[in-house]
Amino acid sequence: MKARLQHFAGALALALGAAGASHAATLTVSCGSNAADLKFCAGYAEDWGKAHGYTIKVYTPPASSTDNLALLRQQLAAKSGDVDVLMIDVVWPGVLKDHLLDLKKYSKGAEAQHFPAIVANNTVDGKLLAMPWFTDAGLLFYRKDLLEKYKLTPPQTWDELEADAKKVMAGERAAGVADFQGFVFQAKAYEGLTCDALEWVNSFGGGDIVDKSGAITIDNAKAAKALDTAASWIGNIAPEGVLNYGEEDARGVFQNGKALFMRNWPYAWSLAQAPDSPIKDKVGVAPLPMGVGGRHAATLGGWQLAVNKYSKHPEAAAELVMYMTSAEIQKKRAIGGSYNPTIMALYKDPDIIKANPFMGQLLDVFTGAVARPATATGLKYPEVSRAFWDAAHSVLEKKSSGAEAVKKLAGTLKQVKRQAW
Ligand code: GLC
């Protein structure tokens, strides 16, 4: 695919040269950390390039948000303008603030159409550092056909999820699917585990690690209980292998028909529904279960498009960002790739809701998602998140109890905080 794109870009450059186009410039766009995203990002960027006389080159960043950020920080520290348009995670504006262009001049107020909380998230020191592109929230994907077969309904609590998983695993394994799993999720030591573990903690009423005022709240019994509960799933309803799963690993197992439940982001819907998917039309989507005495909790995720301050073509890059984040392209990406729009009005669009019924049914999950403490911790967020996922991972590996882990984590976070975040 990449080779084909490069080939295409080369051919386009030649064609433009021959036509004597006024700009023979190349814009490099970062997108495509999975196959669907590559298709839906690169294709539309190329349409814009053709219309405006730019050659579009696609840069595919690492699939893990953690590896992606590490590489990007190196490139930006070296003031590299190689990638003009940057795809940035919802938790990065505070980390990258010195390296991104203020888009206010180019947006002409278009940001008012998007969810205000995301626009606020992307605005640092009064500068609009990125345009919202798609939003994410953690969801429970389940096998509709199997819940029906075993006369079950989507679980409301984690205890119900565990009981249902045990029942269906026993039945399916006895019927010959030896490696059938109950529940797959993201438990590798990376940003994805921060998202999953925050959902567990918050669903038990254990808060959000560091609250909005910057206070460290993680050392509490509910958070400890949530982590212990998740640890009890491993080797029980979840394979030991989840300790090394990212989003695509979990999706691989689920989409192959080898798991009853999966925690994942909306993008997994369009892939599960693809014509060649073994589970097409057998999947349902529900809010993630509640903890004991808690609530349904979903972590807020999502991606933005920003312009690299060191880009040699800042104006063109900003125009491309405005095009890519427009209602027209968000609608196409929602229908084709199940990327949740950030433009509020699109949630009333019948074509989008038809392709993705969960976007209408679970609107509350998206608007009520729990943010990771990125705004409160600013430049320190990557360290805070790493300390949190390390603590969660140690509990999942059964190297420490939930109570020990959250106590130690609070100590580490105090060190990271010192005077202030
Ligand atoms: C998704 C989310 C992003 C999150 C990442 C973690 O891409 O949109 O916000 O950081 O998953 O793996």
Side-chain angles (χ1 to χ4, degrees):
M1 183 69 188
K2 214 168 153 195
R4 242 176 56 209
L5 285 173
Q6 274 162 0
H7 175 77
F8 175 74
L12 185 61
L14 284 176
L16 287 171
S22 49
H23 344 252
T26 297
L27 278 185
T28 302
V29 182
S30 129
C31 60
S33 47
N34 66 47
D37 191 43
L38 185 57
K39 177 168 153 206
F40 292 111
C41 168
Y44 301 131
E46 277 157 13
D47 289 346
W48 184 92
K50 265 184 240 166
H52 294 83
Y54 284 86
T55 301
I56 301 294
K57 216 168 113 187
V58 171
Y59 161 75
T60 302
S64 147
S65 175
T66 300
D67 299 343
N68 185 340
L69 178 61
L71 195 60
L72 184 58
R73 290 181 91 179
Q74 277 177 23
Q75 290 163 349
L76 294 175
K79 299 194 170 18
S80 162
D82 288 354
V83 182
D84 302 280
V85 174
L86 302 169
M87 172 172 163
I88 74 165
D89 198 337
V90 69
V91 285
W92 300 352
V95 182
L96 302 180
K97 63 183 165 71
D98 297 332
H99 306 285
L100 306 177
L101 199 73
D102 183 359
L103 297 175
K104 276 248 171 74
K105 195 167 118 197
Y106 306 95
S107 70
K108 304 191 182 82
E111 63 274 22
Q113 298 166 20
H114 298 252
F115 286 119
I118 306 179
V119 175
N121 176 79
N122 296 356
T123 306
V124 182
D125 303 333
K127 294 182 185 147
L128 180 62
L129 297 182
M131 282 299 290
W133 196 27
F134 64 94
T135 188
D136 262 342
L139 301 170
L140 182 72
F141 291 81
Y142 60 90
R143 285 285 300 279
K144 248 181 355 195
D145 57 328
L146 291 176
L147 288 189
E148 253 164 52
K149 177 172 165 191
Y150 291 85
K151 307 206 168 11
L152 299 167
T153 51
Q156 291 301 308
T157 65
W158 292 114
D159 287 348
E160 281 171 31
L161 176 137
E162 187 180 344
D164 296 352
K166 278 188 179 152
K167 184 170 180 183
V168 177
M169 268 174 89
E172 292 303 293
R173 287 185 176 199
V177 194
D179 51 353
F180 192 83
Q181 303 296 339
F183 185 31
V184 289
F185 47 93
Q186 296 75 41
K188 184 167 92 173
Y190 80 123
E191 186 65 27
L193 175 54
T194 287
C195 298
D196 287 39
L198 174 60
E199 283 159 354
W200 307 328
V201 165
N202 200 265
S203 77
F204 274 78
D208 48 7
I209 315 167
V210 172
D211 73 13
K212 304 236 162 0
S213 75
I216 299 162
T217 61
I218 190 63
D219 186 7
N220 68 78
K222 291 173 179 169
K225 170 92 177 132
L227 295 178
D228 286 331
T229 303
S232 76
W233 300 330
I234 295 176
N236 175 14
I237 56 166
E240 295 280 348
V242 290
L243 289 169
N244 216 13
Y245 279 10
E247 284 81 2
E248 284 292 88
D249 306 294
R251 190 179 66 80
V253 175
F254 186 73
Q255 194 158 327
N256 267 323
K258 295 296 177 69
L260 176 64
F261 297 119
M262 168 177 73
R263 183 270 178 214
N264 218 323
W265 307 103
Y267 85 98
W269 170 256
S270 69
L271 297 167
Q273 286 299 92
D276 60 349
S277 161
I279 55 169
K280 181 170 167 29
D281 297 328
K282 295 181 179 163
V283 180
V285 187
L288 287 163
M290 296 184 277
V292 179
R295 57 189 288 265
H296 295 286
T299 295
L300 177 71
W303 291 80
Q304 337 301 315
L305 291 181
V307 175
N308 183 340
K309 209 167 100 179
Y310 315 110
S311 162
K312 294 199 178 63
H313 310 284
E315 303 217 337
E319 275 168 39
L320 175 55
V321 165
M322 295 316 299
Y323 173 74
M324 295 291 278
T325 57
S326 68
E328 180 196 343
I329 301 303
Q330 289 207 358
K331 177 169 176 173
K332 290 184 178 165
R333 286 175 49 88
I335 292 172
S338 60
Y339 291 103
N340 272 65
T342 58
I343 294 181
M344 293 174 286
L346 292 179
Y347 286 82
K348 297 209 175 76
D349 185 300
D351 303 330
I352 293 182
I353 300 301
K354 185 162 171 258
N356 308 284
F358 71 88
M359 288 188 191
Q361 291 151 4
L362 304 183
L363 186 56
D364 290 358
V365 172
F366 294 100
T367 53
V370 188
R372 284 161 277 173
T375 302
T377 60
L379 275 169
K380 299 280 178 67
Y381 175 73
E383 271 180 83
V384 169
S385 182
R386 180 175 296 274
F388 179 60
W389 84 56
D390 277 345
H393 206 261
S394 75
V395 180
L396 298 177
E397 284 181 300
K398 308 199 173 62
K399 288 194 174 146
S400 63
S401 69
E404 284 159 5
V406 293
K407 185 163 194 276
K408 188 169 158 225
L409 171 60
T412 308
L413 294 181
K414 262 182 220 142
Q415 288 299 311
V416 176
K417 182 175 180 179
R418 291 193 194 99
Q419 305 305 319
W421 297 110

